[in-house]
Amino acid sequence: MQELINKANVLMEALPWIKNFYGKTIVIKYGGNAMVEEKLKEGFARDIILMKYIGLNPVVVHGGGPQIGKVLEAMKIESNFIQGMRVTDSATMDVVEMVLGGKVNKEIVKNINLHGGKAVGLTGKDGGLIRARKLEMKAVNPETLTPEIIDIGMVGEVESVDPTVISALEESNFIPVIAPIGVGLNGETYNINADLVAGRIAGALKAEKLILLTDIEGVKDKQGKLISTIDVGRVPDLINDETISGGMIPKINCCVDAVEEGVFKAHIIDGRMEHACLLEIFTDKGIGTAVARFDK
């Protein structure tokens, strides 16, 4: 009997959060180990379905770098990286679109539908969702010490987002699952960082939350202790003193940009934890690092 009471108490703890987020949009960037381990994949699908059934509007944006790498290797297409970005020529872009928009996207859709949800797969090409432009990567020439632009191919950045197709799916009780592929002014296809796409979509939808699933707990201070909340105004100082460094910088900047565009709160959480999204949304303490404008 005590076990049943404990379960009831968990539901009661979640009740105010369910009420608070009812009808709100939650954008989730799905990546890392949560996309690889079977138990986590199944748990993620069930979590998304639960959100939908209790009145939230989850929108999933996914990555797929490791999956792209495996297919390129199998096809004997060499992968090159500059400043952590995959150089994407036309042959590589064909594989990226095939893997992200096809294999990976449809597997996520299948998992959600298999467990009782209604998911629809999209890329940024669908319904004019993501207008993109070529990413200009800048670096300093070590010989001349002058800045120069490096061409890394069909890697893009988001120019604009038209969320009409997402809103239409939400109104029909479908769960959008979006691959981070955009289209240029003349129909060019661009591969875009999934964190950036998730942030821009969250901003366009004025989402209640942006959640980035990662393979780390969140932002930590110099003593290794998790920082649970960060005001957007503190971020430049934390970057300058190298509390935030390396691959965490683009993630935290993505969160800041989303908040500046109208997202109430952005979160960086550990997707290796079972039911990570539910723990963040429906518990009193939450997990990971929250980024917001706390002086409002």
Side-chain angles (χ1 to χ4, degrees):
M1 182 59 69
Q2 187 59 47
E3 184 178 350
L4 296 176
I5 293 172
N6 290 340
K7 288 182 178 179
N9 286 334
V10 170
L11 292 173
M12 293 308 297
E13 180 182 346
L15 180 59
W17 303 111
I18 294 172
K19 180 180 178 181
N20 188 47
F21 298 133
Y22 186 85
K24 304 290 182 62
T25 295
I26 312 290
V27 177
I28 301 155
K29 187 270 178 163
Y30 181 40
N33 281 335
M35 281 183 66
V36 177
E37 296 181 17
E38 289 300 324
K39 188 175 182 180
L40 292 176
K41 286 161 64 173
E42 180 179 338
F44 177 80
R46 291 180 182 274
D47 291 354
I48 294 297
I49 294 165
L50 176 62
M51 290 182 208
K52 192 67 176 178
Y53 274 125
I54 61 178
L56 283 68
N57 292 314
V59 175
V60 178
V61 178
H62 64 83
Q67 293 90 332
I68 293 169
K70 286 181 180 178
V71 174
L72 287 171
E73 185 178 354
M75 296 178 68
K76 301 189 184 308
I77 299 175
E78 185 178 357
S79 291
N80 294 307
F81 292 85
I82 297 176
Q83 296 181 19
M85 303 290 287
R86 188 189 302 274
V87 178
T88 308
D89 58 16
S90 59
T92 302
M93 188 65 236
D94 287 343
V95 173
V96 168
E97 187 166 19
M98 176 182 70
V99 175
L100 286 182
K103 185 178 186 301
V104 174
N105 185 273
K106 299 314 174 190
E107 182 182 12
I108 298 167
V109 168
K110 176 200 73 176
N111 285 342
I112 293 173
N113 292 344
L114 187 65
H115 292 96
K118 294 199 307 179
V120 174
L122 304 168
T123 74
K125 290 183 171 183
D126 294 306
L129 175 58
I130 301 172
R131 174 63 60 84
R133 59 176 173 256
K134 188 179 179 69
L135 176 67
E136 289 190 353
M137 179 173 286
K138 298 179 181 180
V140 176
N141 187 308
E143 296 179 359
T144 64
L145 299 180
T146 57
E148 60 183 18
I149 296 176
I150 303 172
D151 187 355
I152 55 174
M154 304 305 291
V155 177
E157 59 183 348
V158 178
E159 186 170 28
S160 62
V161 172
D162 180 352
T164 304
V165 65
I166 298 176
S167 299
L169 289 170
E170 287 183 339
E171 289 170 7
S172 300
N173 289 319
F174 287 100
I175 300 167
V177 178
I178 303 164
I181 296 169
V183 62
L185 184 62
N186 298 309
E188 314 95 319
T189 302
Y190 289 104
N191 178 24
I192 312 174
N193 177 276
D195 289 344
L196 300 181
V197 169
R200 289 297 300 274
I201 287 176
L205 291 169
K206 299 295 183 283
E208 182 74 10
K209 286 181 180 287
L210 166 67
I211 297 176
L212 305 182
L213 290 177
T214 67
D215 287 341
I216 54 176
E217 290 181 66
V219 179
K220 295 184 177 181
D221 62 22
K222 291 187 175 182
Q223 287 71 47
K225 183 180 178 181
L226 181 70
I227 304 175
S228 60
T229 58
I230 299 176
D231 187 278
V232 291
R234 286 187 60 209
V235 170
D237 291 337
L238 292 173
I239 292 174
N240 289 336
D241 71 9
E242 298 185 345
T243 298
I244 299 173
S245 61
M248 184 56 73
I249 292 176
K251 290 185 183 298
I252 204 76
N253 284 336
C254 168
C255 291
V256 170
D257 290 344
V259 171
E260 297 289 2
E261 288 188 18
V263 175
F264 180 69
K265 195 175 288 186
H267 305 263
I268 299 171
I269 69 173
D270 191 348
R272 299 169 300 178
M273 185 180 298
E274 285 189 69
H275 306 299
C277 290
L278 299 187
L279 291 171
E280 172 51 51
I281 297 171
F282 298 122
T283 61
D284 293 338
K285 292 184 178 180
I287 60 174
T289 299
V291 179
R293 191 173 294 284
F294 292 100
D295 58 358
K296 283 185 178 180

